[in-house]
């Protein structure tokens, strides 16, 4: 019996039931060797039908990157500049060598973001949004990948049940419908950024800069994916 | 890998109540989206108020005591878009002073503003 349990546990761990976490330096050694100060986030590539998602995510990224200690460029200004230079789609930016961004913006690193999934599910008294985002940060001097993360999260958009009872349930139903339908994506975007960017080796402005190498916050599967293959649904 | 977050907003707002954030961003995202979706006098005014709030309260509402990166530049860009060139230039210079690593970017922004002005 004990042997069976032991075997089950081992196979469970091997099967990946228990997601493996690794340290920041184990996941992203390049970044500690080539730490950028200025990071340019490009407008996200939206691979979903949720048209509002990319604008929303774009506006949250300046703050998200600033919070982990980098000089982050204001995303509206960047979008505006790119548009005036004739770059109308983010896909066009994929073909621009990272060194160009260093030349035009003085950026040490450039971050490519793609929205792979943004599905709202609504079931009367509850709702959630499934969000899938891929982030890749590359050095503008060497072109190598410094940090990358691919995350899929389910974020609850259920309205709160204030008051209880039938009246409360009705309020909750309406609140959920409003929250899910008006697609108030800002809290959703903030959440995904918070969780994902928590794995970035901190930049120079962060209080824990240079002290986070052994921080075991990185889910290995999310960090070690083939960035050249698109996310399968 | 799918994770289900039960009370995400609650958790994050509690975090916010507990301690001052590293940077204070105020209503940055919402006001930007409002202006983006409907650029008019009202949303512009609201946006400027939010940016002013972030700048004014950088000292007392954040642990860094500093205006976050990109805020002055963002403000400058907004002012330049609306024809307020000299004010825009002032904001750009403030960004460069606070964050010298932004100088290549700021130079470009200043040149764009000046070339628009001379047209």
């Amino acid at each position: 019996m004990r042997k069976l349990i032991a075997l089950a546990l081992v196979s469970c761990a091997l099967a990946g039931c228990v997601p493996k976490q690794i340290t920041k330096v184990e996941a992203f050694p390049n970044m500690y060797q080539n730490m950028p100060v200025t990071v340019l986030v490009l407008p996200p590539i939206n691979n979903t039908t949720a048209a509002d998602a990319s604008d929303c995510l774009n506006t949250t990224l300046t703050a998200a990157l600033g919070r982990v200690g980098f000089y982050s460029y204001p995303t509206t200004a960047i979008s505006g500049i790119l548009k005036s230079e004739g770059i109308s789609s983010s896909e066009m930016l994929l073909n621009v060598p990272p060194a160009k961004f260093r030349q035009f913006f003085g950026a040490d690193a450039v971050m490519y973001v793609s929205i792979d999934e943004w599905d709202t599910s609504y079931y009367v008294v509850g709702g959630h949004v499934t969000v899938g985002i891929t982030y890749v940060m590359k050095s503008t001097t060497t072109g190598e990948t410094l940090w990358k993360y691919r995350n899929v999260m389910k974020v609850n958009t259920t309205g709160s049940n204030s008051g209880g009872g039938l009246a409360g349930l009705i309020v909750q139903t309406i609140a959920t419908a409003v929250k899910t339908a008006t697609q108030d994506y800002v809290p959703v975007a903030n959440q995904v950024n918070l969780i994902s960017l928590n794995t970035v080796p901190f930049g120079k402005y962060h209080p824990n800069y240079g002290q986070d190498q052994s921080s075991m916050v990185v889910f290995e599967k999310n960090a070690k994916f083939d960035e050249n293959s698109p996310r399968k649904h | 890998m799918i994770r289900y977050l039960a009370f995400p907003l609650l958790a994050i707002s509690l975090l916010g109540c507990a301690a001052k954030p590293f940077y204070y961003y105020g209503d940055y995202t919402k006001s930007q989206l409002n202006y983006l979706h409907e650029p008019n006098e009202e949303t512009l005014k609201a946006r400027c108020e939010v940016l002013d709030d972030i700048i004014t309260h950088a000292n007392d509402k954040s642990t860094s005591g500093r205006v976050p990166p990109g805020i002055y530049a963002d403000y400058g860009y907004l002012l330049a878009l609306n024809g307020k060139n000299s004010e825009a230039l002032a904001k750009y210079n403030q960004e460069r002073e606070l964050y010298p690593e932004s100088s290549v970017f700021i130079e470009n922004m200043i040149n764009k503003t000046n070339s628009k002005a001379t047209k």
Side-chain angles (χ1 to χ4, degrees):
Chain A
M1 189 62 195
R2 254 183 266 154
K3 272 194 191 158
L4 264 171
I5 293 170
L7 195 65
L9 281 172
V10 169
S11 55
C12 192
L14 285 173
C17 301
V18 181
K20 186 178 173 202
Q21 278 184 290
I22 55 179
T23 62
K24 281 191 185 183
V25 70
E26 208 184 319
F28 314 114
N30 290 349
M31 192 147 173
Y32 288 101
Q33 308 213 333
N34 191 3
M35 177 63 74
V37 173
T38 54
V39 181
L40 177 71
V41 182
L42 298 175
I45 292 171
N46 193 351
N47 295 322
T48 75
T49 53
D52 291 336
S54 51
D55 271 345
C56 180
L57 189 65
N58 202 18
T59 58
T60 57
L61 285 166
T62 308
L65 211 52
R67 283 191 185 104
V68 284
F70 299 96
Y71 179 84
S72 63
Y73 300 74
T75 49
T76 22
I78 297 300
S79 299
I81 292 167
L82 292 171
K83 276 204 188 106
S84 71
E85 297 295 323
I87 296 173
S88 52
S89 79
S90 308
E91 281 80 359
M92 285 169 78
L93 296 167
L94 291 173
N95 296 323
V96 176
K100 282 282 177 188
F101 297 111
R102 181 174 200 79
Q103 187 187 343
F104 287 120
F105 298 102
D108 297 326
V110 61
M111 188 144 99
Y112 304 90
V113 183
S114 71
I115 309 172
D116 310 310
E117 238 180 291
W118 201 291
D119 299 323
T120 40
S121 288
Y122 169 59
Y123 39 92
V124 187
V125 290
H128 62 257
V129 181
T130 303
V131 178
I133 302 189
T134 300
Y135 308 79
V136 178
M137 192 194 295
K138 291 199 177 193
S139 161
T140 55
T141 44
T142 63
E144 61 180 346
T145 298
L146 300 175
W147 171 80
K148 64 184 183 189
Y149 216 65
R150 177 168 279 172
N151 210 358
V152 181
M153 283 170 52
K154 240 183 192 176
V155 181
N156 195 354
T157 54
T158 300
S160 58
N161 184 338
S162 51
L166 186 59
L169 199 61
I170 291 170
V171 169
Q172 182 177 320
T173 305
I174 295 168
T176 302
V178 168
K179 264 176 98 170
T180 313
T182 57
Q183 302 164 349
D184 182 8
Y185 289 151
V186 172
V188 175
N190 282 335
Q191 294 223 22
V192 183
N193 288 336
L194 192 73
I195 302 271
S196 308
L197 268 70
N198 187 44
T199 65
V200 176
F202 293 137
K204 85 171 211 198
Y205 291 115
H206 197 277
N208 294 334
Y209 170 62
Q211 295 161 24
D212 60 342
Q213 285 93 328
S214 48
S215 181
M216 196 172 285
V217 290
V218 186
F219 285 96
E220 191 178 36
K221 243 172 74 176
N222 295 22
K224 305 212 167 176
F225 59 90
D226 181 4
E227 57 201 85
N228 295 313
S229 72
R231 198 185 161 267
K232 295 186 184 104
H233 292 263
Chain B
M1 151 137 218
I2 294 177
R3 279 214 233 96
Y4 184 76
L5 297 172
F7 296 108
L9 288 174
L10 184 65
I12 288 182
S13 61
L14 279 177
L15 271 172
C17 291
K20 273 198 255 183
F22 179 59
Y23 286 132
Y24 172 66
Y25 283 100
D27 220 6
Y28 184 78
T29 305
K30 282 274 165 72
S31 60
Q32 182 166 320
L33 280 171
N34 288 340
Y35 179 69
L36 195 68
H37 290 148
E38 224 151 316
N40 58 43
E41 243 185 76
E42 201 186 310
T43 54
L44 175 63
K45 184 164 171 278
R47 179 63 175 160
C48 290
E49 278 170 9
V50 166
L51 291 168
D52 281 324
D53 172 59
I54 294 172
I55 292 167
T56 313
H57 290 287
N59 217 358
D60 61 280
K61 286 194 179 175
S62 73
T63 55
S64 63
R66 210 170 46 238
V67 174
I71 296 296
Y72 283 123
D74 208 355
Y75 207 160
Y77 180 68
L78 192 66
L79 291 165
L81 272 181
N82 287 281
K84 302 187 180 168
N85 291 340
S86 55
E87 289 172 56
L89 292 173
K91 291 280 181 276
Y92 289 148
N93 282 319
Q94 279 178 295
E95 179 79 32
R96 180 167 42 186
E97 206 182 300
L98 188 56
Y99 296 103
E101 61 267 31
S102 69
S103 54
V104 172
F105 171 57
I106 294 297
E107 273 299 313
N108 283 339
M109 300 299 275
I110 289 174
N111 290 338
K112 274 192 192 290
T113 306
N114 285 334
S115 67
K116 262 198 204 156
T118 53
K119 275 194 185 136

